[in-house]
């Protein structure tokens, strides 16, 4: 009788340990991929470099959006052309990005003598891409995608560069994936102030 109780207790304990190991594998941070830190806060010096790299800079609103696996396309209605040349009042955006993949990782919990292992799926990082919704107003620093003959924001498709699409919201401007440094954030509470800053940097680069 005592032997049966001891065996059942041992079996329950084993099941509890298995469940604990399984939960630990699910909720512990993935070791296959390190978390990608965001780019550093964007300061005026770096913003000037990005402004100089941009072929076209616009204030625009999103007119149409189409998204498929790994590709997002948008039509922008240009309100203000701050830098570069375009034909007409609309322009086409095309971004390609890597979606999060799910490779399998085989993990062997400690204190297991039966050779059993747990297969765990973990997500890799996605690359940066812009945000596009019909009616959304944005300020974008763009470069030409020669293969598609369309434009994309600087930093699109990367893991660690500043994505140069800025959302106009509640009269101010906000970035995606990173923060503005203090010397830039003083201009971001007001759309006109931020546009004036970009124009000032364009003039400074041309001197």
């Amino acid at each position: 009788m005592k032997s049966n109780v001891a065996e059942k207790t041992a079996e329950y304990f084993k099941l509890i340990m298995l469940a604990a190991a399984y939960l630990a594998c699910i909720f512990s941070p993935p070791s296959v991929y390190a978390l990608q830190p965001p780019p550093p806060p964007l300061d005026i010096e770096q913003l000037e470099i990005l402004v100089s790299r941009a072929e076209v800079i616009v204030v625009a609103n999103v007119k149409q959006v189409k998204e498929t696996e790994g590709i997002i396309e948008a039509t922008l209605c240009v309100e203000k052309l701050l830098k570069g040349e375009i034909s007409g009042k609309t322009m086409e955006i095309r971004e390609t990005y890597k979606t999060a993949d799910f490779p399998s990782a085989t993990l062997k919990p400690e204190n297991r003598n039966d050779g059993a292992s747990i297969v765990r799926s973990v997500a890799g990082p996605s690359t940066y891409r812009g945000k596009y919704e019909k009616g959304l107003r944005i300020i974008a620093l763009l470069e030409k995608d020669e293969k598609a003959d369309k434009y994309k924001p600087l930093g699109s498709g990367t893991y660690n560069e500043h994505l140069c699409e800025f959302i106009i919201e509640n009269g101010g401007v906000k970035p995606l994936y990173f923060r503005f440094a203090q010397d830039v954030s003083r201009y971001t509470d007001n759309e006109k102030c931020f546009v004036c800053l970009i124009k000032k940097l364009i003039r400074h680069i041309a001197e």
Side-chain angles (χ1 to χ4, degrees):
M1 181 74 175
K2 291 182 179 179
S3 177
N4 290 337
V5 172
E7 288 177 2
K8 289 183 178 180
T9 302
E11 187 65 26
Y12 287 145
F13 182 74
K14 184 178 179 181
L15 290 173
I16 291 171
M17 292 298 292
L18 285 172
Y22 178 74
L23 292 173
C25 289
I26 291 176
F27 295 109
S28 62
S31 59
V32 178
Y33 290 99
L35 293 176
Q36 180 66 41
L42 181 62
D43 58 22
I44 285 184
E45 183 179 357
Q46 183 61 35
L47 179 58
E48 183 171 1
I49 293 172
L50 294 171
V51 167
S52 68
R53 283 179 51 199
E55 298 175 54
V56 172
I57 302 177
V58 297
V59 179
N61 65 74
V62 180
K63 184 177 180 181
Q64 190 173 0
V65 183
K66 177 184 178 183
E67 187 167 4
T68 55
E69 185 71 22
I71 300 174
I72 185 167
E73 296 178 307
T75 301
L76 303 184
C77 182
V78 177
E79 299 176 10
K80 297 177 184 177
L81 178 63
L82 306 180
K83 180 184 176 183
E85 297 180 0
I86 60 172
S87 57
K89 290 290 185 180
T90 61
M91 61 188 310
E92 300 298 322
I93 300 294
R94 185 179 190 272
E95 295 189 57
T96 59
Y97 58 89
K98 180 183 177 182
T99 55
D101 50 4
F102 297 89
S104 295
T106 302
L107 305 175
K108 293 186 177 181
E110 296 179 0
N111 303 320
R112 289 291 298 273
N113 298 320
D114 57 2
S117 59
I118 297 174
V119 178
R120 178 188 175 200
S121 293
V122 290
S126 297
T127 54
Y128 295 152
R129 63 183 184 273
K131 177 182 178 181
Y132 304 97
E133 298 172 358
K134 189 174 181 180
L136 185 70
R137 297 183 66 242
I138 63 174
I139 297 172
L141 282 60
L142 305 168
E143 62 181 345
K144 192 74 171 288
D145 182 348
E146 299 296 344
K147 293 181 180 179
D149 195 30
K150 296 180 180 180
Y151 289 89
K152 62 180 181 179
L154 295 175
S156 172
T158 69
Y159 292 104
N160 56 1
E161 296 182 14
H162 295 98
L163 181 71
C164 293
E165 179 194 347
F166 307 109
I167 309 301
I168 301 172
E169 188 175 84
N170 299 322
V173 178
K174 69 176 186 178
L176 299 170
Y177 304 107
F178 61 90
R179 295 184 297 108
F180 287 126
Q182 188 173 0
D183 59 353
V184 175
S185 63
R186 57 189 291 196
Y187 297 94
T188 60
D189 288 339
N190 185 284
E191 173 192 341
K192 291 182 179 179
C193 289
F194 190 73
V195 169
C196 286
L197 173 61
I198 290 178
K199 288 180 177 179
K200 180 180 178 181
L201 294 175
I202 293 171
R203 290 194 300 269
H204 184 261
I205 293 166
E207 292 177 354

